[in-house]
Amino acid sequence: RWWCFQHRLSVHHLQGFLKELPDFEDVDAEDRARALVLAHNDILEALQFCLTWPDLHTAAGLVTARAGELDGDYYEVLSPAADALRERYPLAATLRWRAMIDFALNESRSSRYRYVASHLKDCAAVSNDIRSFESHPPHDAYVEALKEQHARKTSFWVDLD
């Protein structure tokens, strides 16, 4: 079961493995499992595991540490993750929204502009709840960079109003 968890990040296998352990050994095993999730080579698979387990704290740490690896094309994983983290982990939610915004604008996916405009509004709504943006630009700087890079994408900016 541990092997299957390690290679597939299977919630089912981890639950079965932990259930068979004596008291208190399951805590150590769960800590080892978190470390494996954080180091997993596929960030989206690791994120999906965190949402299914559920372990929002680990999901937030995963995204904050590896935001540059997020592929904004996978909105079906990133959007629910951002919604789940919004309240307690606004920076992690913001980084997920930004990944989707950046992807849609950089790839000129105009069919997504309405959705990512909504995500940018979500970023603004939680920006005051973020104590530190760490190495990431604060909201106003991020928006200014978007305006510089994507000024000609008027349909996006219209959707923002």
Side-chain angles (χ1 to χ4, degrees), residues 5 9 11 15 34 37 43-63 70 74-86 89 92-93 96 100:
F5 162 71
L9 291 189
V11 168
Q15 287 170 334
R34 274 189 201 92
V37 169
I43 189 171
L44 291 173
E45 192 174 303
L47 182 56
Q48 188 63 49
F49 172 85
C50 290
L51 294 175
T52 306
W53 184 247
D55 185 349
L56 296 181
H57 180 74
T58 300
L62 179 70
V63 170
L70 290 173
Y74 292 96
Y75 59 87
E76 65 277 0
V77 175
L78 296 177
S79 193
D83 293 341
L85 294 168
R86 177 185 192 133
Y89 303 99
R96 286 179 174 90
M100 292 182 286

Short mmCIF file of all heavy atoms in Angstrom, two decimals, residues 5 9 11 15 34 37 43-63 70 74-86 89 92-93 96 100:
data_model
loop_
_atom_site.label_atom_id
_atom_site.label_comp_id
_atom_site.label_asym_id
_atom_site.label_seq_id
_atom_site.Cartn_x
_atom_site.Cartn_y
_atom_site.Cartn_z
N PHE A 5 0.95 4.21 -2.81
CA PHE A 5 0.80 5.62 -2.47
C PHE A 5 1.97 6.43 -3.03
O PHE A 5 1.78 7.47 -3.65
CB PHE A 5 0.70 5.83 -0.96
CG PHE A 5 0.97 7.26 -0.58
CD1 PHE A 5 0.06 8.25 -0.87
CD2 PHE A 5 2.18 7.61 0.01
CE1 PHE A 5 0.32 9.58 -0.57
CE2 PHE A 5 2.45 8.93 0.32
CZ PHE A 5 1.53 9.91 0.02
N LEU A 9 0.28 8.52 -5.59
CA LEU A 9 -0.37 9.45 -4.64
C LEU A 9 -1.84 9.06 -4.47
O LEU A 9 -2.75 9.87 -4.58
CB LEU A 9 -0.24 10.90 -5.09
CG LEU A 9 1.14 11.50 -5.04
CD1 LEU A 9 1.09 13.00 -5.31
CD2 LEU A 9 1.87 11.24 -3.74
N VAL A 11 -4.95 8.23 -2.47
CA VAL A 11 -5.59 8.45 -1.17
C VAL A 11 -6.04 7.13 -0.59
O VAL A 11 -5.84 6.85 0.60
CB VAL A 11 -6.77 9.44 -1.31
CG1 VAL A 11 -7.62 9.46 -0.05
CG2 VAL A 11 -6.27 10.83 -1.65
N GLN A 15 -4.80 5.66 3.01
CA GLN A 15 -5.76 5.39 4.08
C GLN A 15 -5.65 3.96 4.57
O GLN A 15 -5.64 3.71 5.78
CB GLN A 15 -7.19 5.66 3.60
CG GLN A 15 -7.52 7.11 3.43
CD GLN A 15 -8.85 7.34 2.73
OE1 GLN A 15 -9.33 6.50 1.95
NE2 GLN A 15 -9.45 8.50 3.00
N ARG A 34 3.23 13.49 3.71
CA ARG A 34 3.22 14.92 3.36
C ARG A 34 4.52 15.32 2.65
O ARG A 34 4.50 16.06 1.67
CB ARG A 34 3.04 15.78 4.60
CG ARG A 34 1.63 15.99 4.98
CD ARG A 34 1.50 17.04 6.09
NE ARG A 34 0.24 16.84 6.75
CZ ARG A 34 0.04 16.07 7.82
NH1 ARG A 34 1.05 15.47 8.39
NH2 ARG A 34 -1.15 15.94 8.33
N VAL A 37 4.44 14.13 -0.86
CA VAL A 37 3.53 14.95 -1.67
C VAL A 37 4.20 16.26 -2.05
O VAL A 37 4.16 16.69 -3.21
CB VAL A 37 2.20 15.20 -0.92
CG1 VAL A 37 1.36 16.25 -1.61
CG2 VAL A 37 1.42 13.90 -0.78
N ILE A 43 3.19 18.52 -9.85
CA ILE A 43 2.56 19.40 -8.87
C ILE A 43 1.03 19.33 -8.93
O ILE A 43 0.36 19.40 -7.90
CB ILE A 43 3.05 20.86 -9.01
CG1 ILE A 43 2.55 21.70 -7.83
CG2 ILE A 43 2.67 21.45 -10.34
CD1 ILE A 43 3.14 23.09 -7.76
N LEU A 44 0.47 19.15 -10.11
CA LEU A 44 -0.98 19.07 -10.21
C LEU A 44 -1.52 17.79 -9.58
O LEU A 44 -2.56 17.80 -8.93
CB LEU A 44 -1.44 19.20 -11.66
CG LEU A 44 -1.22 20.57 -12.28
CD1 LEU A 44 -1.54 20.55 -13.77
CD2 LEU A 44 -2.06 21.63 -11.58
N GLU A 45 -0.80 16.70 -9.75
CA GLU A 45 -1.19 15.44 -9.11
C GLU A 45 -1.08 15.57 -7.59
O GLU A 45 -1.96 15.12 -6.86
CB GLU A 45 -0.29 14.32 -9.62
CG GLU A 45 -0.77 12.93 -9.27
CD GLU A 45 0.09 11.86 -9.94
OE1 GLU A 45 0.21 11.87 -11.17
OE2 GLU A 45 0.63 11.02 -9.18
N ALA A 46 -0.01 16.22 -7.13
CA ALA A 46 0.16 16.44 -5.69
C ALA A 46 -0.95 17.34 -5.14
O ALA A 46 -1.49 17.10 -4.06
CB ALA A 46 1.53 17.03 -5.41
N LEU A 47 -1.28 18.36 -5.90
CA LEU A 47 -2.35 19.27 -5.49
C LEU A 47 -3.69 18.55 -5.42
O LEU A 47 -4.45 18.71 -4.46
CB LEU A 47 -2.41 20.44 -6.46
CG LEU A 47 -3.43 21.52 -6.19
CD1 LEU A 47 -3.26 22.12 -4.81
CD2 LEU A 47 -3.31 22.60 -7.26
N GLN A 48 -3.95 17.72 -6.41
CA GLN A 48 -5.20 16.95 -6.41
C GLN A 48 -5.26 16.02 -5.20
O GLN A 48 -6.31 15.88 -4.57
CB GLN A 48 -5.34 16.15 -7.72
CG GLN A 48 -6.68 15.49 -7.87
CD GLN A 48 -7.80 16.51 -7.95
OE1 GLN A 48 -7.74 17.47 -8.70
NE2 GLN A 48 -8.84 16.31 -7.16
N PHE A 49 -4.14 15.41 -4.85
CA PHE A 49 -4.10 14.57 -3.66
C PHE A 49 -4.46 15.39 -2.43
O PHE A 49 -5.27 14.96 -1.60
CB PHE A 49 -2.71 13.94 -3.48
CG PHE A 49 -2.58 13.23 -2.16
CD1 PHE A 49 -3.00 11.93 -2.02
CD2 PHE A 49 -2.07 13.89 -1.05
CE1 PHE A 49 -2.93 11.28 -0.78
CE2 PHE A 49 -1.99 13.26 0.18
CZ PHE A 49 -2.41 11.95 0.32
N CYS A 50 -3.86 16.56 -2.29
CA CYS A 50 -4.11 17.41 -1.12
C CYS A 50 -5.58 17.79 -1.00
O CYS A 50 -6.12 17.86 0.11
CB CYS A 50 -3.26 18.68 -1.18
SG CYS A 50 -1.50 18.42 -0.95
N LEU A 51 -6.22 18.04 -2.11
CA LEU A 51 -7.63 18.40 -2.08
C LEU A 51 -8.51 17.21 -1.72
O LEU A 51 -9.51 17.35 -1.04
CB LEU A 51 -8.07 18.98 -3.42
CG LEU A 51 -7.42 20.30 -3.81
CD1 LEU A 51 -7.84 20.70 -5.21
CD2 LEU A 51 -7.77 21.39 -2.80
N THR A 52 -8.12 16.04 -2.20
CA THR A 52 -8.91 14.83 -1.94
C THR A 52 -8.70 14.32 -0.52
O THR A 52 -9.64 13.81 0.10
CB THR A 52 -8.54 13.73 -2.96
OG1 THR A 52 -8.69 14.26 -4.27
CG2 THR A 52 -9.41 12.51 -2.81
N TRP A 53 -7.50 14.47 0.01
CA TRP A 53 -7.17 13.89 1.32
C TRP A 53 -8.12 14.37 2.41
O TRP A 53 -8.59 13.53 3.16
CB TRP A 53 -5.70 14.17 1.65
CG TRP A 53 -5.24 13.55 2.92
CD1 TRP A 53 -4.87 14.21 4.06
CD2 TRP A 53 -5.11 12.16 3.25
NE1 TRP A 53 -4.50 13.33 5.03
CE2 TRP A 53 -4.64 12.05 4.56
CE3 TRP A 53 -5.36 10.99 2.55
CZ2 TRP A 53 -4.41 10.83 5.19
CZ3 TRP A 53 -5.12 9.78 3.17
CH2 TRP A 53 -4.65 9.72 4.48
N PRO A 54 -8.48 15.50 2.74
CA PRO A 54 -7.99 16.82 2.36
C PRO A 54 -6.93 17.34 3.33
O PRO A 54 -6.99 17.09 4.53
CB PRO A 54 -9.24 17.70 2.46
CG PRO A 54 -10.04 17.10 3.56
CD PRO A 54 -9.72 15.61 3.52
N ASP A 55 -5.99 18.07 2.77
CA ASP A 55 -4.91 18.68 3.55
C ASP A 55 -4.60 20.03 2.92
O ASP A 55 -3.70 20.16 2.09
CB ASP A 55 -3.68 17.77 3.55
CG ASP A 55 -2.55 18.28 4.44
OD1 ASP A 55 -2.63 19.45 4.89
OD2 ASP A 55 -1.60 17.53 4.67
N LEU A 56 -5.37 21.03 3.30
CA LEU A 56 -5.23 22.35 2.70
C LEU A 56 -3.92 23.03 3.09
O LEU A 56 -3.36 23.79 2.31
CB LEU A 56 -6.42 23.23 3.08
CG LEU A 56 -7.78 22.76 2.56
CD1 LEU A 56 -8.87 23.72 2.97
CD2 LEU A 56 -7.76 22.56 1.06
N HIS A 57 -3.42 22.74 4.28
CA HIS A 57 -2.16 23.33 4.71
C HIS A 57 -1.02 22.87 3.79
O HIS A 57 -0.21 23.68 3.33
CB HIS A 57 -1.86 22.97 6.17
CG HIS A 57 -0.59 23.55 6.67
ND1 HIS A 57 -0.46 24.88 6.97
CD2 HIS A 57 0.61 22.98 6.91
CE1 HIS A 57 0.78 25.12 7.37
NE2 HIS A 57 1.46 23.98 7.35
N THR A 58 -0.97 21.59 3.50
CA THR A 58 0.05 21.07 2.59
C THR A 58 -0.16 21.61 1.18
O THR A 58 0.80 21.96 0.49
CB THR A 58 0.06 19.54 2.61
OG1 THR A 58 0.35 19.10 3.95
CG2 THR A 58 1.10 18.96 1.67
N ALA A 59 -1.41 21.70 0.75
CA ALA A 59 -1.70 22.26 -0.58
C ALA A 59 -1.19 23.69 -0.68
O ALA A 59 -0.59 24.08 -1.69
CB ALA A 59 -3.20 22.21 -0.85
N ALA A 60 -1.40 24.48 0.36
CA ALA A 60 -0.94 25.87 0.36
C ALA A 60 0.59 25.93 0.30
O ALA A 60 1.16 26.72 -0.46
CB ALA A 60 -1.45 26.60 1.59
N GLY A 61 1.25 25.10 1.08
CA GLY A 61 2.71 25.07 1.07
C GLY A 61 3.26 24.63 -0.28
O GLY A 61 4.26 25.17 -0.77
N LEU A 62 2.61 23.67 -0.88
CA LEU A 62 3.01 23.17 -2.19
C LEU A 62 2.97 24.28 -3.23
O LEU A 62 3.94 24.50 -3.97
CB LEU A 62 2.08 22.02 -2.60
CG LEU A 62 2.29 21.37 -3.94
CD1 LEU A 62 3.57 20.55 -3.94
CD2 LEU A 62 1.10 20.47 -4.28
N VAL A 63 1.87 25.00 -3.27
CA VAL A 63 1.71 26.05 -4.27
C VAL A 63 2.62 27.24 -4.00
O VAL A 63 3.21 27.80 -4.92
CB VAL A 63 0.25 26.49 -4.35
CG1 VAL A 63 0.09 27.73 -5.21
CG2 VAL A 63 -0.58 25.37 -4.93
N LEU A 70 3.12 25.74 -11.76
CA LEU A 70 1.69 25.58 -12.02
C LEU A 70 1.38 25.84 -13.48
O LEU A 70 1.79 26.85 -14.04
CB LEU A 70 0.88 26.53 -11.15
CG LEU A 70 0.85 26.24 -9.66
CD1 LEU A 70 0.16 27.35 -8.91
CD2 LEU A 70 0.15 24.91 -9.40
N TYR A 74 -4.73 23.98 -16.59
CA TYR A 74 -5.50 22.98 -15.85
C TYR A 74 -6.44 23.63 -14.85
O TYR A 74 -6.38 23.39 -13.64
CB TYR A 74 -4.55 21.98 -15.17
CG TYR A 74 -3.83 21.13 -16.18
CD1 TYR A 74 -2.56 21.46 -16.63
CD2 TYR A 74 -4.46 20.03 -16.73
CE1 TYR A 74 -1.92 20.70 -17.60
CE2 TYR A 74 -3.83 19.25 -17.69
CZ TYR A 74 -2.57 19.60 -18.12
OH TYR A 74 -1.94 18.84 -19.07
N TYR A 75 -7.35 24.43 -15.37
CA TYR A 75 -8.31 25.15 -14.53
C TYR A 75 -9.21 24.21 -13.75
O TYR A 75 -9.69 24.55 -12.68
CB TYR A 75 -9.13 26.13 -15.37
CG TYR A 75 -9.93 25.47 -16.47
CD1 TYR A 75 -11.20 24.96 -16.23
CD2 TYR A 75 -9.41 25.34 -17.75
CE1 TYR A 75 -11.93 24.35 -17.23
CE2 TYR A 75 -10.12 24.73 -18.76
CZ TYR A 75 -11.38 24.23 -18.49
OH TYR A 75 -12.10 23.61 -19.48
N GLU A 76 -9.43 22.99 -14.26
CA GLU A 76 -10.32 22.05 -13.57
C GLU A 76 -9.73 21.60 -12.24
O GLU A 76 -10.47 21.14 -11.36
CB GLU A 76 -10.68 20.86 -14.45
CG GLU A 76 -9.51 19.96 -14.82
CD GLU A 76 -8.69 20.42 -16.01
OE1 GLU A 76 -8.98 21.48 -16.60
OE2 GLU A 76 -7.71 19.72 -16.35
N VAL A 77 -8.43 21.72 -12.06
CA VAL A 77 -7.78 21.43 -10.78
C VAL A 77 -7.53 22.73 -10.02
O VAL A 77 -7.80 22.83 -8.82
CB VAL A 77 -6.44 20.68 -10.97
CG1 VAL A 77 -5.72 20.50 -9.65
CG2 VAL A 77 -6.67 19.33 -11.63
N LEU A 78 -7.02 23.73 -10.72
CA LEU A 78 -6.61 24.97 -10.06
C LEU A 78 -7.77 25.79 -9.52
O LEU A 78 -7.67 26.37 -8.44
CB LEU A 78 -5.77 25.82 -11.01
CG LEU A 78 -4.44 25.21 -11.44
CD1 LEU A 78 -3.74 26.12 -12.44
CD2 LEU A 78 -3.55 24.95 -10.25
N SER A 79 -8.85 25.85 -10.24
CA SER A 79 -9.98 26.67 -9.79
C SER A 79 -10.60 26.15 -8.49
O SER A 79 -10.76 26.93 -7.54
CB SER A 79 -11.02 26.77 -10.91
OG SER A 79 -11.95 27.78 -10.62
N PRO A 80 -10.94 24.86 -8.39
CA PRO A 80 -11.47 24.38 -7.11
C PRO A 80 -10.45 24.48 -5.98
O PRO A 80 -10.81 24.71 -4.83
CB PRO A 80 -11.84 22.92 -7.37
CG PRO A 80 -11.67 22.66 -8.80
CD PRO A 80 -10.97 23.82 -9.42
N ALA A 81 -9.18 24.32 -6.32
CA ALA A 81 -8.13 24.45 -5.30
C ALA A 81 -8.10 25.88 -4.76
O ALA A 81 -8.00 26.10 -3.55
CB ALA A 81 -6.78 24.06 -5.88
N ALA A 82 -8.16 26.84 -5.65
CA ALA A 82 -8.16 28.24 -5.22
C ALA A 82 -9.37 28.54 -4.35
O ALA A 82 -9.25 29.20 -3.31
CB ALA A 82 -8.12 29.17 -6.43
N ASP A 83 -10.52 28.04 -4.75
CA ASP A 83 -11.73 28.26 -3.96
C ASP A 83 -11.61 27.64 -2.57
O ASP A 83 -12.03 28.23 -1.57
CB ASP A 83 -12.95 27.69 -4.67
CG ASP A 83 -13.28 28.45 -5.96
OD1 ASP A 83 -12.82 29.60 -6.12
OD2 ASP A 83 -13.99 27.88 -6.81
N ALA A 84 -11.01 26.46 -2.49
CA ALA A 84 -10.86 25.78 -1.20
C ALA A 84 -9.88 26.51 -0.28
O ALA A 84 -10.04 26.51 0.94
CB ALA A 84 -10.38 24.34 -1.42
N LEU A 85 -8.87 27.14 -0.86
CA LEU A 85 -7.82 27.79 -0.07
C LEU A 85 -8.08 29.27 0.21
O LEU A 85 -7.41 29.86 1.04
CB LEU A 85 -6.48 27.65 -0.79
CG LEU A 85 -5.98 26.23 -0.87
CD1 LEU A 85 -4.83 26.13 -1.84
CD2 LEU A 85 -5.58 25.73 0.50
N ARG A 86 -9.02 29.84 -0.45
CA ARG A 86 -9.28 31.28 -0.39
C ARG A 86 -9.36 31.82 1.03
O ARG A 86 -8.76 32.84 1.35
CB ARG A 86 -10.57 31.56 -1.15
CG ARG A 86 -11.00 32.99 -1.11
CD ARG A 86 -12.35 33.19 -1.76
NE ARG A 86 -12.56 34.59 -1.93
CZ ARG A 86 -13.00 35.15 -3.04
NH1 ARG A 86 -13.29 34.40 -4.08
NH2 ARG A 86 -13.16 36.44 -3.11
N TYR A 89 -5.89 30.47 3.26
CA TYR A 89 -4.59 30.60 2.59
C TYR A 89 -4.73 31.49 1.34
O TYR A 89 -4.61 31.02 0.21
CB TYR A 89 -4.05 29.22 2.20
CG TYR A 89 -3.93 28.29 3.38
CD1 TYR A 89 -4.91 27.33 3.64
CD2 TYR A 89 -2.85 28.38 4.25
CE1 TYR A 89 -4.80 26.49 4.74
CE2 TYR A 89 -2.74 27.54 5.34
CZ TYR A 89 -3.72 26.59 5.57
OH TYR A 89 -3.62 25.76 6.66
N ALA A 92 -1.88 31.40 -1.40
CA ALA A 92 -1.90 30.19 -2.23
C ALA A 92 -3.04 30.26 -3.24
O ALA A 92 -2.86 29.89 -4.41
CB ALA A 92 -2.02 28.96 -1.36
N ALA A 93 -4.20 30.75 -2.81
CA ALA A 93 -5.32 30.90 -3.74
C ALA A 93 -4.96 31.89 -4.84
O ALA A 93 -5.21 31.65 -6.03
CB ALA A 93 -6.57 31.36 -2.99
N ARG A 96 -2.70 30.46 -7.49
CA ARG A 96 -3.44 29.57 -8.41
C ARG A 96 -4.22 30.39 -9.43
O ARG A 96 -4.22 30.10 -10.61
CB ARG A 96 -4.38 28.66 -7.62
CG ARG A 96 -3.64 27.57 -6.91
CD ARG A 96 -4.62 26.71 -6.12
NE ARG A 96 -3.96 25.59 -5.55
CZ ARG A 96 -3.40 25.59 -4.35
NH1 ARG A 96 -3.41 26.67 -3.61
NH2 ARG A 96 -2.82 24.51 -3.89
N MET A 100 -3.74 30.76 -13.78
CA MET A 100 -4.78 30.67 -14.81
C MET A 100 -4.87 31.96 -15.62
O MET A 100 -5.07 31.93 -16.84
CB MET A 100 -6.12 30.31 -14.17
CG MET A 100 -6.15 28.90 -13.60
SD MET A 100 -7.74 28.43 -12.88
CE MET A 100 -7.73 29.38 -11.34
#
